[in-house]
Amino acid sequence: MRAEPTCPRCAGPLSEPGLWSKDWSCGVHGAVLPRRPSKRPGPDGLAAVLRDARVPVWTPWPLPPAWLVTGFCAVGDERSGARATAVALSGPGLISGPADLILIAEEPGIGLGGHYAGLAGGDPGPVFDGSPPDAKIDVSGPAATCDHSVPMWSVGTKPDRAVYVGEAMGDWLWAVLWPAEAGVLMLERQTLLDLREPGMDLDLPYGAYSPRLDE
């Protein structure tokens, strides 16, 4: 696990705010919000992300069979609050072998989802061209006004992963899965809950920390 804040777009080092600038700064991407060190799976890690989350903290519920929550990540500082969150999960792939999933909620322009997706830019680009969605995810919870489906489009990035992106509650929703074959999980309808909502005291099963969060 990395101990210092990094750039959400490239995971590179940041310069702290100082006398000449109030912004965190990346040598490649300029002023950015800091990607905080990832949190280990468990109630304490979840509480740290929930404390100032300004965007949803999504988890599938119920989890796919034998899947576990394997860590958390957030982007933002004390002034901004967390403007992006990531929840890592791991479990058996539907085709073969182990699989990993990271669900990211973020405000436009943050770039965390694009980084995990392997995109050069921060946002998904021209994928919303009127073509039919490749998958749908159900979103449930009071802040969602009512239960509804979120269309998700496949984004071709790197051959080792499957990436889907959509828009939920005004924020980007990304699902990044390793290996690419694990993308078939998206063909099974999943329901996401926002862990910020009152009453979301779920008995989440936790597993070993996912190094995917540090990529």
Side-chain angles (χ1 to χ4, degrees):
M1 293 175 59
R2 295 171 179 170
E4 300 294 333
T6 56
C7 175
R9 298 185 180 185
C10 67
L14 296 180
S15 298
E16 297 184 17
L19 293 175
W20 309 111
S21 175
K22 61 181 177 58
D23 296 319
W24 293 83
S25 181
C26 169
V28 176
H29 296 103
V32 295
L33 291 176
R35 172 180 162 185
R36 305 172 187 175
S38 301
K39 302 297 183 182
R40 290 195 176 277
D44 291 344
L46 174 59
V49 171
L50 291 176
R51 194 170 297 126
D52 62 354
R54 306 286 183 87
V55 297
V57 181
W58 295 120
T59 186
W61 195 258
L63 297 184
W67 278 65
L68 303 169
V69 176
T70 51
F72 307 96
C73 183
V75 174
D77 57 19
E78 293 81 3
R79 297 172 300 164
S80 68
R83 301 303 181 96
T85 65
V87 178
L89 304 103
S90 301
L94 296 182
I95 297 178
S96 64
D100 298 295
L101 165 64
I102 296 182
L103 289 169
I104 303 103
E106 64 178 356
E107 295 180 357
I110 298 297
L112 183 66
H115 170 69
Y116 283 128
L119 297 175
D123 286 330
V127 298
F128 305 102
D129 57 0
S131 61
D134 299 294
K136 289 186 177 181
I137 288 182
D138 293 331
V139 171
S140 181
T145 305
C146 61
D147 296 355
H148 69 282
S149 296
V150 175
M152 303 285 285
W153 283 264
S154 176
V155 180
T157 57
K158 296 184 176 180
D160 67 332
R161 69 200 69 182
V163 179
Y164 293 84
V165 63
E167 181 273 327
M169 296 164 52
D171 298 306
W172 291 127
L173 166 60
W174 299 80
V176 185
L177 303 102
W178 293 264
E181 292 78 14
V184 299
L185 182 69
M186 296 292 293
L187 301 180
E188 295 195 351
R189 202 66 169 262
Q190 305 291 331
T191 296
L192 301 186
L193 300 183
D194 181 359
L195 294 174
R196 299 177 303 165
E197 296 297 339
M200 292 296 179
D201 187 18
L202 304 179
D203 186 16
L204 295 174
Y206 294 105
Y209 176 76
S210 173
R212 296 287 186 190
L213 284 171
D214 293 329
E215 292 187 358

